[in-house]
Amino acid sequence: KAGWSDLDVRAVDTVRVLAADAVQKVGNGHPGTAMSLAPVAYLLFQNVMRIDPNDEHWLGRDRFVLSCGHSSLTQYIQLYLSGYGLELDDLKALRTWGSKTPGHPEVHHTTGVEITTGPLGSGLASAVGMAFAQRRQRGLFDPDAKKGTSPFDHHIWVIASDGDIMEGVTHEASALAGHQELGNLTVIYDQNTISIEDKTEISFSEDVGARYAAYGWNVVEIDWRKDGDGATYVEDVDALLAACEKSRDATKPTIIVLRTIIAWPSPTKQDTGKSHGSALGSDEIAGLKEVLGFDPKKTFEVSRDVITHTRKVKARGKALHKEWDKRYAAWRKGNAEGAALLDRLVSQELPAGLDKAVPSFPADPKGIATRAASGKVLGALAEVVPELWGGSADLAESNNTTMEGQPSFIPASKQTREWSGGPYGRTLHFGIREFGMGLILNGIALEGLMRPYGGTFLVFSDYMRAAVRLAAIQELPVTFVWTHDSIGLGEDGPTHQPIEHLASLRAIPGFEVVRPADANETAAAWVQILKNAKPVGLCLSRQALPTQDPKVAGKISNVGKGAYILREASSGTPDVILIATGSEVGLAMAAADTLEKGKIATRVVSMPCREWFETQTKGYQEKVLPAAVKARVSVEAGVPMGWRDVVGDAGEIVGIDHFGASADAATLFREFGFTPEKVVAAAKRSI
Amino acid sequence: KAGWSDLDVRAVDTVRVLAADAVQKVGNGHPGTAMSLAPVAYLLFQNVMRIDPNDEHWLGRDRFVLSCGHSSLTQYIQLYLSGYGLELDDLKALRTWGSKTPGHPEVHHTTGVEITTGPLGSGLASAVGMAFAQRRQRGLFDPDAKKGTSPFDHHIWVIASDGDIMEGVTHEASALAGHQELGNLTVIYDQNTISIEDKTEISFSEDVGARYAAYGWNVVEIDWRKDGDGATYVEDVDALLAACEKSRDATKPTIIVLRTIIAWPSPTKQDTGKSHGSALGSDEIAGLKEVLGFDPKKTFEVSRDVITHTRKVKARGKALHKEWDKRYAAWRKGNAEGAALLDRLVSQELPAGLDKAVPSFPADPKGIATRAASGKVLGALAEVVPELWGGSADLAESNNTTMEGQPSFIPASKQTREWSGGPYGRTLHFGIREFGMGLILNGIALEGLMRPYGGTFLVFSDYMRAAVRLAAIQELPVTFVWTHDSIGLGEDGPTHQPIEHLASLRAIPGFEVVRPADANETAAAWVQILKNAKPVGLCLSRQALPTQDPKVAGKISNVGKGAYILREASSGTPDVILIATGSEVGLAMAAADTLEKGKIATRVVSMPCREWFETQTKGYQEKVLPAAVKARVSVEAGVPMGWRDVVGDAGEIVGIDHFGASADAATLFREFGFTPEKVVAAAKRSI
């Protein structure tokens, strides 16, 4: 039982009033859900979660994910009440320039916020990733501890809304959570049946509980509405608390379907779409305050008693932390090696000798596919970088994302004839769920210790694009491995051939697109990616690519600069510069042969990552692409968009601005103009 | 009962052998599913579907959607057997340049293919759209006919795979299909439990039947595997036929969960991941042929008896069509007005007087938001263009996508206090399911008569990007209405503010991005969009934008050219050209005032659609953007990517290359450099 005192009840009502006041002050926002979720969030922060407001980075803390990010006040007000650092003035500054209380919660911005949410479905899906990470971390550091006794045991708590449940990505992530038997995950689904178009019955009539049962979740239904009339509404927090506590010991994920009335007890706007996304208006707020026994003339009214009471969570958190510290110290004592690894991961340092750990590939005109090279690199990194783990959305063999010999991350009962493993395994199997994979990878990274990666075909980056953007917004060290990165994919045809994807991914702020030209560039790229620790897309070829001279193409320092001179013009001063990425570097090299034979001094620049090149000094950039050389040709099997900045008015762009076709790769490259002759002709036009 | 003769059985076995041979010949592809689905597809084409291979455009035909597009042979071989025009040589040319049999089925390319599939989940989701369209069309033309008696009654048949069912978008579309009680939709789910990573148990353990029951579907389970041993495998086609026939009269959508063994009866590769996506190899194929009583030395063996027998579907189709013609003629006789409308829709012509139907807005420095203008335009078009219909992914009021007074498309029992309507209504409610919306819109367009549109915030075009790409690949006349098209969205902050979206959508081949500058451009844009009948994204502002002089900005001929001179330089010969789109046109006009005051002759070009402008004559392009004027500034509240092509080396780009923030729009525009002063400074740098 929660055993709430009058002060607790007053605190919960204070939350409702603050939510209404804060939205009213700025004139826009989402008051309704924050009001009706007040007792839910208060219960989590005060009675359920193992948190310490004094230390937001506490390794043993439970995680809180507000999947309905539009109801950011639900989180901000609890952070204020429990003493994470937010104060009343921050609530007054809601949704204004420079405030700590932006429209949607933002990680790295507001103390206590674990994840940026808002795009619906994303919070819940990334919470599944956090639950993945918790299990993997426990397996890495403390696999033999009894359940609930390890300093690496913690729980993931989610509040989700009708919108989250409708989105396809929560289907994907929830199906995986059920499959993975994630007992460390609890979702409170606020079924208020109101969205922007008012009653959700207009578009939403599935039996959510039955659906989640079909995924293998524990389903608990708690109905505060009873017959749906606000007059009989009872916020039975004891039932909710019992369900939460039970879920902590579960062997499956739990969804608590909680039937609420949005904006309760707002006199006339409860249970309406208007209360979802608009300020209530001063009359309505006055009415609300009267119902709750607050002074209608005052705003942002918080009694000293209330705030003193609610901030006791700081003392309780400190005690929890202290108790945990003991267990943690005992663990460190018995696990020197694990402690050293943990210290490295916490400080976000890489192991020594990374550069030497990756394989080197001899020059070879036939070469191998960069996806195959990537697979070998991952295999070599497996022992050295235990924090690196990942898998594929059902394309393991095509994406070469499996570290050879590493066990699958899977309940023991779900191993198959092809894949062995266990709950603490390392190889991830996402099924055919690209978007879910993307957000799960984000969640793994948000836990703070691991370096996750996940693969699919480059063309299907479209399915997961919103996850990629959220990785970029949150600056998460996630590596998206995208293979089959051009028409070189061949026979599967236009639906499977990326055309616009390199450009469209480069357009995302803070995101890096890396497209290595050969096996050694691939190895160097992985090292640089690990060093940078940023969101990145690694685009790899299906087809074999010639391995260039490893003394040039294999140098991590070259690749890490984003662009470098792979082949200098015979004269030293180039007549023309060919700039290429990935599979087209070999084509540029072949064209350079012809041009040089025709006495045209040709430099070839390999440009595996434009974003990396842009961070180099002007001096280095000028060295690689001297302003004086206006004759330039870019070669990339993608849309021309974005290359004019590199080649300039006088330059030429060899690209493809239409969809592909179903045929073998060689035919497609020939038919679509990716031949040495076409590149030579473009170079001559440019000179 | 199907009552199959020995010839039918031989025909089905011929399908299996052809599938194996065709993949073996080209050396890659997906034989396994085509083999085990042979009796399923054969049953549909020979016994179930109301189709006429003599007339692929027959208005009364059932639709077939192969959601597992990788198994394209499943469709190609049936098209060959039933006489749609494919011949053995086409099967031999599978997945080769210029063939009628590309890797995945492509609409407009192969006779009898109704939809391009391949990206998993997309076929099933678009089939839901087809079912929407069938119901709307019936409501438009023949609402009072008894079920099954109207020439507008037809059924949608889908074959889907494990991968389709895992994808989030089928969750979204299936939830809507159940909600909409689409009795005209039957999905045969081929549960072979094999995907590329072999046994799907590694990532997939949900109870699919229970899940679909939770959506409100009829669920039929048919298990051909029994105990899972190939030796006891029985292809009970009678059970399947009975389920199909029953589903045709249903009041809900039906999913038939059919347990099969992939690649059955391949001797050693049945039930393996290897048979999913690789050629079986000559030994295995020889073994298969022996099992089935074919000559292991022959390839592509089809007996004359078999093909003569299977092509009887042509005669049966002709008879069905003839019988339908009678009902259709009777309908035409009684419905002159409907028949005239239908003729117009079939010929894809627009109603007369479209230009005059849209409202005109007087010049107004305060103006209105283009989303609001769009809402007024839609309202005005409602009566004139009955084929135009659409809605929003739960943002109706924000997207202004509701045609005032039009009923909702919804089962009568599911009307809400805010929305009235019925099964033949017009306003669509997609719930919070953007990707599902996109693919449903595509499906509506694929039915061939309707002009659908659907709205969400521009930032959430990311969620539906794969649907947008498929609209472009299939050249479908779908209008995606994307409002809140910049940081002008304001307080909701970076997760909701599009930055890279305009560029990344322009990167998609064959897709048009339209961003009107004011109310009159919005009206003109709608007219041009209807005329073009192509996939298009209409990007609209949240905030009010000044209404420019309607004699210039309101002209459809100007807007339809994609760019035009909104304000000529005082001197006639501009010193600098400012090129802007959407909400930044007003900013460019303000900057031009300042520049002209400083004696800098300034032209302002409004560029609502770059793709439209690119199709204009060189002469027109030169008139608007004379090559001699190198001083140019582009102004758009999005990433600079792509603008260098317009402004050239000497030009300046005013854009934003980082994520936004949570604050009011005016503050954001000021803080992020969208001010007349900054544009003026850029113009001076460029001169």
Side-chain angles (χ1 to χ4, degrees):
Chain A
K1 293 228 174 188
W4 281 359
S5 66
D6 289 352
L7 265 180
D8 291 303
V9 173
R10 184 69 175 176
V12 167
D13 289 341
T14 299
V15 173
R16 301 187 221 265
V17 168
L18 287 177
D21 279 344
V23 173
Q24 186 67 20
K25 179 163 194 296
V26 65
N28 54 73
H30 301 79
T33 307
M35 291 161 64
S36 42
L37 282 180
V40 179
Y42 187 81
L43 188 79
L44 285 176
F45 276 78
Q46 297 281 331
N47 299 74
V48 175
M49 295 196 293
R50 297 172 54 88
I51 49 173
D52 178 7
N54 311 286
D55 181 5
E56 63 154 341
H57 298 297
W58 175 27
L59 210 61
R61 74 192 183 280
D62 283 355
R63 303 299 200 273
F64 175 68
V65 175
L66 184 74
S67 197
C68 43
H70 56 271
S71 186
S72 54
L73 282 167
T74 294
Q75 187 160 12
Y76 297 148
I77 298 175
Q78 294 306 325
L79 292 177
Y80 157 61
L81 291 182
S82 41
Y84 271 89
L86 285 189
E87 297 299 345
L88 261 188
D89 280 345
D90 297 308
L91 299 181
K92 290 178 187 169
L94 180 74
R95 295 164 73 89
T96 59
W97 178 255
S99 80
K100 289 183 190 168
T101 49
H104 293 83
E106 298 177 18
V107 68
H108 313 318
H109 181 85
T110 308
T111 301
V113 170
E114 302 274 4
I115 175 175
T116 298
T117 53
L120 285 168
S122 65
L124 171 45
S126 286
V128 173
M130 293 178 179
F132 273 42
Q134 187 277 328
R135 191 168 90 196
R136 167 89 185 137
Q137 288 155 205
R138 189 194 210 273
L140 204 56
F141 295 114
D142 204 13
D144 301 324
K146 264 179 65 181
K147 188 169 172 175
T149 66
S150 168
F152 299 95
D153 286 332
H154 63 260
H155 202 86
I156 321 295
W157 304 93
V158 181
I159 297 180
S161 61
D162 289 303
D164 292 301
I165 299 297
M166 284 190 241
E167 288 284 3
V169 73
T170 51
H171 155 70
E172 296 183 6
S174 299
L176 270 173
H179 180 75
Q180 288 283 357
E181 303 169 13
L182 299 176
N184 54 351
L185 175 67
T186 302
V187 174
I188 301 175
Y189 160 37
D190 174 37
Q191 190 173 54
N192 64 33
T193 68
I194 290 289
S195 63
I196 293 177
E197 294 190 9
D198 202 67
K199 299 297 290 176
T200 54
E201 283 89 327
I202 195 66
S203 64
F204 186 43
S205 54
E206 71 198 47
D207 181 339
V208 174
R211 184 181 136 212
Y212 272 77
Y215 295 142
W217 287 51
N218 289 322
V219 178
V220 183
E221 311 242 5
I222 299 178
D223 189 355
W224 286 357
R225 300 181 71 127
K226 314 289 179 195
D227 63 357
D229 182 347
T232 59
Y233 191 66
V234 177
E235 292 175 327
D236 183 350
V237 290
D238 290 334
L240 183 58
L241 177 62
C244 286
E245 289 303 338
K246 192 173 172 204
S247 74
R248 204 196 282 275
D249 297 319
T251 56
K252 301 172 173 186
T254 297
I255 185 167
I256 300 168
V257 181
L258 181 68
R259 299 259 301 155
T260 65
I261 294 177
I262 194 171
W264 192 85
S266 179
T268 74
K269 292 197 173 170
Q270 60 175 269
D271 202 25
T272 68
K274 298 292 169 206
S275 73
H276 169 98
S278 314
L280 296 180
S282 49
D283 288 353
E284 184 76 8
I285 294 178
L288 170 74
K289 287 177 181 171
E290 273 167 28
V291 170
L292 295 175
F294 283 68
D295 184 344
K297 293 193 203 83
K298 288 189 186 162
T299 59
F300 294 95
E301 184 186 355
V302 183
S303 77
R304 181 174 297 270
D305 286 354
V306 161
I307 194 74
T308 306
H309 178 69
T310 63
R311 290 204 170 160
K312 287 181 192 156
V313 74
K314 290 184 77 169
R316 292 197 297 274
K318 201 170 183 178
L320 274 173
H321 198 149
K322 211 169 164 185
E323 182 266 336
W324 177 91
D325 283 341
K326 279 185 215 153
R327 278 183 292 145
Y328 178 63
W331 171 82
R332 286 191 72 95
K333 202 176 261 178
N335 293 275
E337 209 178 317
L341 173 60
L342 180 62
D343 289 346
R344 180 171 72 71
L345 299 190
V346 167
S347 64
Q348 303 191 341
E349 277 168 24
L350 286 173
L354 201 60
D355 298 19
K356 287 182 185 152
V358 297
S360 164
F361 302 82
D364 175 4
K366 196 167 160 255
I368 62 172
T370 50
R371 64 175 169 138
S374 174
K376 287 178 198 292
V377 172
L378 285 172
L381 290 171
E383 287 305 315
V384 189
V385 193
E387 64 268 39
L388 187 65
W389 63 314
S392 163
D394 194 51
L395 289 166
E397 214 172 295
S398 299
N399 299 145
N400 299 76
T401 40
T402 310
M403 293 167 164
E404 209 184 317
Q406 295 292 325
S408 290
F409 179 86
I410 189 83
S413 65
K414 284 166 179 160
Q415 300 175 88
T416 64
R417 62 190 178 198
E418 291 278 320
W419 302 97
S420 60
Y424 298 144
R426 189 167 183 182
T427 304
L428 288 164
H429 303 277
F430 293 100
I432 301 159
R433 306 181 182 98
E434 297 81 7
F435 192 10
M437 173 172 74
L439 288 173
I440 286 170
L441 294 174
N442 289 357
I444 291 172
L446 281 163
E447 274 263 327
L449 300 179
M450 297 279 112
R451 297 293 299 271
Y453 64 87
T456 184
F457 289 165
L458 177 57
V459 80
F460 298 128
S461 62
D462 280 353
Y463 274 62
M464 57 195 298
R465 192 172 167 89
V468 174
R469 186 174 210 258
L470 280 166
I473 283 189
Q474 299 176 93
E475 301 175 351
L476 301 176
V478 172
T479 304
F480 301 100
V481 178
W482 290 315
T483 69
H484 297 61
D485 71 350
S486 77
I487 51 170
L489 170 144
E491 292 84 353
D492 274 347
T495 56
H496 283 55
Q497 290 163 0
I499 299 291
E500 70 276 22
H501 299 77
L502 295 169
S504 75
L505 290 162
R506 286 184 188 126
I508 300 176
F511 189 69
E512 300 174 343
V513 176
V514 184
R515 190 170 186 242
D518 71 355
N520 288 308
E521 276 199 11
T522 306
W526 264 114
V527 173
Q528 193 63 42
I529 285 168
L530 288 170
K531 288 182 179 173
N532 288 6
K534 288 190 176 172
V536 61
L538 180 60
C539 303
L540 302 169
S541 75
R542 176 198 186 198
Q543 71 275 27
L545 303 181
T547 307
Q548 308 291 343
D549 177 2
K551 285 195 292 293
V552 186
K555 286 175 72 174
I556 289 161
S557 60
N558 278 342
V559 172
K561 284 178 183 148
Y564 64 95
I565 302 168
L566 174 60
R567 169 184 173 147
E568 186 48 295
S570 55
S571 69
T573 336
D575 298 319
V576 64
I577 305 176
L578 309 182
I579 305 133
T581 77
S583 49
E584 284 66 68
V585 170
L587 174 59
M589 292 293 272
D593 285 345
T594 308
L595 286 163
E596 286 281 2
K597 269 182 210 149
K599 306 291 174 203
I600 297 173
T602 305
R603 171 183 291 183
V604 176
V605 168
S606 178
M607 192 176 268
C609 181
R610 290 188 53 180
E611 293 80 15
W612 293 350
F613 185 60
E614 279 161 21
T615 65
Q616 302 306 309
T617 61
K618 290 283 159 208
Y620 181 76
Q621 290 178 358
E622 170 66 19
K623 198 182 124 198
V624 176
L625 295 177
V629 184
K630 303 281 186 204
R632 301 176 179 191
V633 180
S634 70
V635 197
E636 182 174 82
V639 289
M641 181 183 274
W643 282 104
R644 184 62 60 195
D645 299 275
V646 175
V647 301
D649 287 353
E652 292 281 329
I653 299 168
V654 177
I656 175 170
D657 60 1
H658 53 79
F659 291 112
S662 174
D664 64 284
T667 299
L668 293 175
F669 279 117
R670 188 183 68 238
E671 294 288 336
F672 292 147
F674 292 93
T675 61
E677 295 71 37
K678 295 270 186 184
V679 177
V680 167
K684 289 180 178 168
R685 282 198 304 277
S686 184
I687 291 169
Chain B
K1 293 226 171 185
W4 280 1
S5 66
D6 289 351
L7 265 180
D8 289 304
V9 173
R10 183 68 176 178
V12 167
D13 289 341
T14 299
V15 173
R16 301 187 220 264
V17 168
L18 287 176
D21 279 344
V23 173
Q24 187 66 22
K25 181 165 190 296
V26 65
N28 53 73
H30 301 79
T33 307
M35 291 162 64
S36 42
L37 282 179
V40 178
Y42 187 82
L43 188 80
L44 285 176
F45 276 78
Q46 297 281 328
N47 299 75
V48 175
M49 292 195 294
R50 296 173 55 88
I51 49 172
D52 178 6
N54 311 286
D55 181 6
E56 63 154 340
H57 298 298
W58 175 28
L59 211 60
R61 73 192 184 280
D62 283 356
R63 303 299 201 274
F64 175 69
V65 175
L66 184 74
S67 197
C68 44
H70 56 271
S71 186
S72 55
L73 282 166
T74 294
Q75 186 161 13
Y76 296 148
I77 297 174
Q78 294 304 326
L79 293 176
Y80 158 62
L81 291 182
S82 39
Y84 272 89
L86 285 189
E87 297 299 344
L88 261 188
D89 281 346
D90 296 309
L91 299 181
K92 290 177 188 169
L94 179 74
R95 296 164 70 91
T96 60
W97 178 255
S99 80
K100 289 183 190 166
T101 48
H104 294 82
E106 297 177 18
V107 69
H108 314 318
H109 181 86
T110 307
T111 303
V113 171
E114 302 274 5
I115 174 175
T116 298
T117 53
L120 285 169
S122 64
L124 171 45
S126 286
V128 173
M130 293 178 179
F132 272 43
Q134 187 277 326
R135 191 168 89 196
R136 167 90 185 136
Q137 289 155 203
R138 190 195 208 274
L140 204 56
F141 295 114
D142 203 13
D144 301 324
K146 265 181 62 182
K147 188 170 173 174
T149 66
S150 168
F152 299 94
D153 285 333
H154 64 260
H155 202 87
I156 321 294
W157 304 93
V158 181
I159 298 181
S161 60
D162 289 303
D164 292 301
I165 299 298
M166 285 190 241
E167 288 284 3
V169 73
T170 52
H171 155 70
E172 295 183 6
S174 300
L176 271 172
H179 179 75
Q180 287 284 356
E181 302 169 15
L182 299 176
N184 54 352
L185 175 67
T186 304
V187 174
I188 302 175
Y189 160 36
D190 174 37
Q191 191 173 53
N192 63 33
T193 67
I194 290 289
S195 62
I196 292 176
E197 295 189 9
D198 201 68
K199 299 298 290 177
T200 53
E201 282 90 328
I202 195 65
S203 65
F204 186 43
S205 54
E206 71 198 46
D207 180 339
V208 174
R211 184 181 135 211
Y212 272 76
Y215 295 142
W217 288 50
N218 290 321
V219 179
V220 183
E221 311 243 4
I222 299 179
D223 189 354
W224 286 359
R225 299 181 71 127
K226 313 290 179 195
D227 63 357
D229 182 346
T232 59
Y233 191 66
V234 176
E235 292 173 327
D236 183 351
V237 290
D238 290 333
L240 182 58
L241 178 61
C244 287
E245 288 304 338
K246 192 173 172 206
S247 75
R248 203 196 283 275
D249 298 319
T251 54
K252 300 173 175 185
T254 298
I255 185 167
I256 301 169
V257 182
L258 181 68
R259 298 260 301 155
T260 65
I261 294 178
I262 194 170
W264 190 84
S266 180
T268 74
K269 292 196 173 170
Q270 59 175 269
D271 203 24
T272 68
K274 298 290 169 206
S275 73
H276 170 96
S278 315
L280 296 180
S282 50
D283 287 354
E284 183 76 6
I285 294 179
L288 171 74
K289 288 176 181 171
E290 273 167 30
V291 169
L292 296 174
F294 283 68
D295 183 345
K297 293 193 204 85
K298 288 189 186 161
T299 59
F300 294 95
E301 186 186 353
V302 183
S303 78
R304 181 174 298 268
D305 287 355
V306 161
I307 194 75
T308 306
H309 178 69
T310 62
R311 289 206 170 158
K312 286 180 191 155
V313 74
K314 291 184 76 168
R316 292 198 296 275
K318 202 171 182 177
L320 275 173
H321 197 151
K322 211 168 162 183
E323 181 266 337
W324 177 90
D325 284 340
K326 277 184 217 154
R327 276 184 292 146
Y328 178 62
W331 172 82
R332 287 190 72 94
K333 201 175 262 177
N335 293 276
E337 208 177 318
L341 173 60
L342 180 62
D343 290 345
R344 180 172 73 70
L345 298 190
V346 167
S347 64
Q348 303 192 341
E349 277 168 22
L350 285 173
L354 200 60
D355 298 18
K356 286 181 186 152
V358 296
S360 166
F361 302 82
D364 175 4
K366 195 167 160 253
I368 62 171
T370 50
R371 63 175 171 139
S374 175
K376 287 178 197 293
V377 172
L378 284 172
L381 290 171
E383 286 305 315
V384 189
V385 193
E387 64 268 37
L388 187 65
W389 64 313
S392 164
D394 194 50
L395 289 166
E397 213 172 297
S398 299
N399 299 147
N400 299 75
T401 40
T402 309
M403 293 167 164
E404 207 185 318
Q406 296 291 325
S408 290
F409 179 86
I410 188 82
S413 65
K414 285 167 179 157
Q415 299 175 88
T416 64
R417 61 189 179 198
E418 290 279 321
W419 302 98
S420 60
Y424 298 144
R426 190 167 182 181
T427 304
L428 288 164
H429 303 276
F430 293 100
I432 301 159
R433 306 181 182 99
E434 298 81 7
F435 192 10
M437 173 173 73
L439 288 172
I440 286 171
L441 294 173
N442 289 356
I444 291 172
L446 281 163
E447 274 262 327
L449 300 179
M450 298 279 112
R451 298 293 300 271
Y453 65 85
T456 185
F457 288 166
L458 177 57
V459 81
F460 298 129
S461 63
D462 280 353
Y463 274 63
M464 56 195 298
R465 193 170 166 89
V468 175
R469 187 174 210 256
L470 280 165
I473 283 189
Q474 298 176 94
E475 301 175 352
L476 301 176
V478 172
T479 304
F480 301 99
V481 178
W482 290 316
T483 70
H484 297 61
D485 69 349
S486 76
I487 51 170
L489 170 144
E491 291 84 353
D492 273 347
T495 57
H496 284 54
Q497 290 164 359
I499 298 291
E500 69 277 23
H501 298 78
L502 295 169
S504 74
L505 290 162
R506 287 184 187 128
I508 299 176
F511 190 69
E512 299 174 344
V513 176
V514 183
R515 190 169 187 245
D518 70 356
N520 288 307
E521 275 199 14
T522 305
W526 264 113
V527 173
Q528 193 64 41
I529 285 167
L530 288 170
K531 288 181 178 172
N532 288 5
K534 287 188 177 173
V536 60
L538 180 60
C539 303
L540 302 170
S541 74
R542 177 196 186 198
Q543 71 275 28
L545 303 181
T547 307
Q548 307 292 342
D549 177 2
K551 286 195 292 293
V552 186
K555 286 176 72 174
I556 289 160
S557 60
N558 278 343
V559 172
K561 285 178 183 148
Y564 63 95
I565 302 168
L566 173 61
R567 168 183 174 145
E568 187 48 296
S570 55
S571 68
T573 335
D575 297 320
V576 64
I577 305 177
L578 308 182
I579 305 134
T581 77
S583 50
E584 285 65 68
V585 169
L587 175 59
M589 294 291 273
D593 285 344
T594 308
L595 287 162
E596 287 280 0
K597 270 182 208 149
K599 306 291 174 201
I600 297 173
T602 304
R603 173 182 291 183
V604 176
V605 169
S606 177
M607 192 177 269
C609 181
R610 290 188 54 180
E611 293 79 15
W612 293 351
F613 185 60
E614 279 162 19
T615 66
Q616 302 306 310
T617 61
K618 290 282 157 209
Y620 181 75
Q621 291 178 359
E622 170 66 19
K623 199 183 124 199
V624 176
L625 295 176
V629 185
K630 303 282 186 205
R632 301 176 179 191
V633 179
S634 70
V635 196
E636 183 175 81
V639 290
M641 181 182 274
W643 283 104
R644 185 62 59 194
D645 298 276
V646 174
V647 302
D649 288 353
E652 292 281 329
I653 301 168
V654 176
I656 174 169
D657 60 0
H658 53 78
F659 291 112
S662 175
D664 65 283
T667 300
L668 293 175
F669 279 117
R670 186 184 69 239
E671 294 289 335
F672 293 148
F674 292 94
T675 60
E677 295 70 37
K678 295 269 185 185
V679 176
V680 166
K684 288 180 178 167
R685 282 198 305 277
S686 184
I687 291 168

